[in-house]
Amino acid sequence: MNTANTSAPTFRYSAVTFDCPDPAALARFYGEVLGLPTVFSTDHFVLLGQEGAAGLGFNRLSDYRRPTWPDPSQEKQAHIELGVDDLDAAQARLLALGAVKPEFQPDPDRWRVLLDPAGHPFCISTLV
């Protein structure tokens, strides 16, 4: 195959999308946490982001099942890592916005695991 005249396609990271029961509600949570505006919205999908930058999407799934972290019966599938300056202050703000702190914390002095309103685990850390 002659590849001299063909160029490889260009790929750009554009977004990560989370399945959830209510995209608007989950977008409000992460929009407030990350200071991101809504750039696209329908009843079934919401995309947060800034023009020209990667975003965060939320997709309605009618039979959505919450992750059961740390119980592996319904795996987490993916999670977000957020860098913070102060673990305690960040945790307090996230809890006030609707996050939940599970009892199990693998290394709470270095990072905290929280659950977003749809049950997705995410981490906050001063190491990032």
Side-chain angles (χ1 to χ4, degrees), residues 15-83:
V16 169
T17 297
F18 285 91
D19 291 336
C20 60
D22 185 346
L26 201 53
R28 277 191 298 277
F29 173 79
Y30 280 105
E32 181 70 25
V33 169
L34 299 172
L36 292 174
T38 298
V39 295
F40 178 81
S41 179
T42 69
D43 288 341
H44 296 282
F45 181 77
V46 177
L47 180 66
L48 301 177
Q50 298 285 349
E51 187 70 32
L56 192 56
F58 307 95
N59 180 63
R60 182 181 309 277
L61 189 63
S62 61
D63 62 347
Y64 175 75
R65 294 184 345 199
R66 295 174 67 96
T68 55
W69 186 90
D71 175 0
S73 62
Q74 179 63 33
E75 289 290 341
K76 61 185 176 181
Q77 294 102 30
H79 70 277
I80 295 176
E81 305 280 344
L82 300 175

Side-chain angles (χ1 to χ4, degrees), residues 72-124:
S73 62
Q74 179 63 33
E75 289 290 341
K76 61 185 176 181
Q77 294 102 30
H79 70 277
I80 295 176
E81 305 280 344
L82 300 175
V84 300
D85 294 329
D86 180 315
L87 280 174
D88 293 330
Q91 177 180 292
R93 175 69 175 141
L94 291 162
L95 294 174
L97 290 171
V100 174
K101 182 181 176 189
E103 187 175 323
F104 176 69
Q105 295 291 318
D107 194 350
D109 294 333
R110 296 181 58 197
W111 74 84
R112 312 273 168 83
V113 179
L114 300 173
L115 307 176
D116 71 21
H120 302 110
F122 66 96
C123 296
I124 58 173

